[in-house]
């Protein structure tokens, strides 16, 4: 997945998280997010933010994406 290859807080990471968060309001994409381990990716991003500086935009959109995944009927 492209997010794993990106530096924390990079412009590409921020745009990808924003796009994925926007798509996450559609229940049909939630299974793909789970299949690609997005929950663990975002949790690891949040954990890393305790030790290293992560752009707040990435954390904001990442946590919103996580909330949408967790609250989806298919999860």
């Amino acid at each position: 997945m492209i997010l794993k290859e990106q530096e924390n807080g990079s412009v590409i990471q921020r745009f990808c998280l924003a796009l994925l968060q926007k798509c996450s309001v559609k229940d049909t994409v939630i299974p793909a997010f789970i299949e690609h381990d997005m929950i663990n990716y975002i949790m690891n991003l949040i954990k890393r933010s305790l030790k290293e500086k992560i752009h707040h935009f990435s954390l904001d959109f990442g946590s919103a994406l996580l909330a949408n995944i967790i609250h989806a009927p298919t999860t």
Side-chain angles (χ1 to χ4, degrees), residues 2-49:
I2 192 169
L3 289 175
K4 291 182 180 181
E5 299 170 4
Q6 296 303 313
E7 185 177 318
N8 291 330
S10 70
V11 173
I12 292 174
Q13 183 190 54
R14 292 183 302 211
F15 279 121
C16 287
L17 283 170
L19 177 65
L20 292 172
Q21 189 276 328
K22 183 74 170 170
C23 293
S24 70
V25 298
K26 300 179 189 260
D27 289 335
T28 56
V29 300
I30 299 301
F33 289 156
I34 293 169
E35 181 181 328
H36 290 284
D37 208 21
M38 284 303 297
I39 292 174
N40 283 325
Y41 173 80
I42 297 167
M43 291 302 298
N44 287 331
L45 181 70
I46 293 169
K47 286 178 191 175
R48 284 194 316 269
S49 75

Side-chain angles (χ1 to χ4, degrees), residues 58-72:
S58 295
L59 294 173
D60 291 346
F61 276 84
S63 60
L65 172 57
L66 181 62
N68 289 345
I69 293 170
I70 292 171
H71 291 291

